[in-house]
Amino acid sequence: MKIYKNVFEKIISSENLFAAWDKFRSDKQKKRDVCEFEWELEKNIFELHRDLVNKRYKHGAHTSFFIHDPKRRHIHKAIVRDRVLHHAIFNILNPIFEPTFIANSYSCRIGYGTHTGVDALDSFIRKTSQNYTKPCYVLKCDIKKFFDSVNHEILFSILKRRIKDKDALCLLQEIIESYVSAEREREREREREREREREMPEKVFLSEISPRSSLLTFI
């Protein structure tokens, strides 16, 4: 398996950041936050570059809202500065991981897409049904809250197999851990509650024994 080094320098280069901006803004030119970022574009890009070079970069919070397309979806949106960096990372990592994806995955891939997927499905159905002469079954399903349920540790371990660049991995971890869904946050709160409950008997015991120890010392 091929490994990759010096990934961080490629991600944070000014050329890559500006190229990432061009891709990001292509269909968002009328968005207010995009226009505000573009108003001082060079200042914002070079400031992002300096923060990355000096290891000061911190991912911002996500804005949470709902859309209907047509079903109701819970969206978490990062600020423009962070989304430009997401594109910069994609520019460098996509050529590394694209060849490892299964051939029949069509969503969010260059040269694939919905129409290509439909054509492939038609080909599979024709082959399996022998030109529609035999029964053929198709499973249509959706993974509920897929991105919310992605295990961050497993995702990071996959990245670490090919990327052997400490700074790049630290940056990727910063971005991955910046996303905390409501369900994940509730799970963390439940874990903190369980931890407090585990600590309670010990605290009760110490509160009971402390006065007695003081009394014995006094006697």
Side-chain angles (χ1 to χ4, degrees):
M1 179 174 61
K2 187 176 180 180
I3 62 174
Y4 296 82
K5 301 179 180 179
N6 302 319
V7 174
F8 185 71
E9 293 302 324
K10 294 178 181 178
I11 291 174
I12 71 170
S13 71
S14 299
E15 294 81 3
N16 187 44
L17 292 176
F18 276 105
W21 162 256
D22 288 337
K23 285 186 179 180
F24 167 75
R25 73 181 288 274
S26 61
D27 59 345
K28 304 177 181 67
Q29 298 178 31
K30 295 183 179 180
K31 301 290 185 180
R32 179 173 179 175
D33 54 350
V34 176
C35 292
E36 290 175 351
F37 189 90
E38 189 173 24
W39 184 256
E40 296 185 294
L41 178 62
E42 290 191 0
K43 173 179 176 293
N44 289 326
I45 293 292
F46 285 120
E47 184 179 86
L48 173 60
H49 175 71
R50 284 193 297 272
D51 285 348
L52 290 164
V53 169
N54 296 318
K55 312 297 191 299
R56 294 196 306 257
Y57 172 79
K58 294 293 180 184
H59 197 285
H62 291 76
T63 302
S64 174
F65 58 92
F66 291 91
I67 64 172
H68 296 81
D69 65 340
K71 75 175 186 179
R72 190 169 184 258
R73 295 182 183 275
H74 193 185
I75 304 299
H76 295 81
K77 186 178 79 169
I79 61 175
V80 172
R81 162 185 161 103
D82 295 329
R83 289 151 70 195
V84 171
L85 179 58
H86 298 172
H87 278 264
I89 292 172
F90 177 83
N91 288 346
I92 306 304
L93 295 196
N94 186 59
I96 296 175
F97 289 97
E98 172 68 28
T100 70
F101 298 157
I102 62 173
N104 296 314
S105 175
Y106 296 93
S107 178
C108 302
R109 295 178 68 185
I110 297 173
Y112 288 75
T114 303
H115 292 94
T116 306
V118 170
D119 291 341
L121 176 61
D122 180 63
S123 176
F124 294 151
I125 292 174
R126 285 178 179 274
K127 181 178 180 180
T128 303
S129 67
Q130 297 183 11
N131 286 327
Y132 307 112
T133 61
K134 293 186 177 182
C136 176
Y137 299 93
V138 177
L139 172 63
K140 179 182 178 181
C141 64
D142 187 18
I143 300 176
K144 184 178 180 181
K145 297 184 178 179
F146 172 75
F147 289 105
D148 288 359
S149 63
V150 170
N151 185 297
H152 288 185
E153 292 182 6
I154 294 176
L155 172 60
F156 194 61
S157 70
I158 293 172
L159 296 171
K160 283 172 33 177
R161 291 175 196 166
R162 290 180 176 269
I163 299 175
K164 304 299 180 182
D165 181 326
K166 182 180 178 181
D167 291 333
L169 290 172
C170 287
L171 176 60
L172 293 173
Q173 189 167 35
E174 167 69 24
I175 293 172
I176 291 171
E177 296 301 328
S178 72
Y179 175 70
V180 180
S181 67
E183 179 58 35
R184 195 183 298 274
E185 184 58 38
R186 285 193 292 270
E187 178 57 34
R188 289 184 179 181
E189 181 56 37
R190 287 193 290 267
E191 180 59 35
R192 288 192 288 266
E193 184 62 31
R194 288 192 291 268
E195 185 65 29
R196 287 193 290 268
E197 290 175 357
R198 286 194 292 269
E199 293 175 353
M200 189 59 67
E202 180 181 350
K203 291 181 179 179
V204 171
F205 173 75
L206 290 174
S207 65
E208 289 290 332
I209 197 173
S210 181
R212 296 176 186 176
S213 297
S214 301
L215 179 59
L216 288 173
T217 303
F218 177 76
I219 294 173

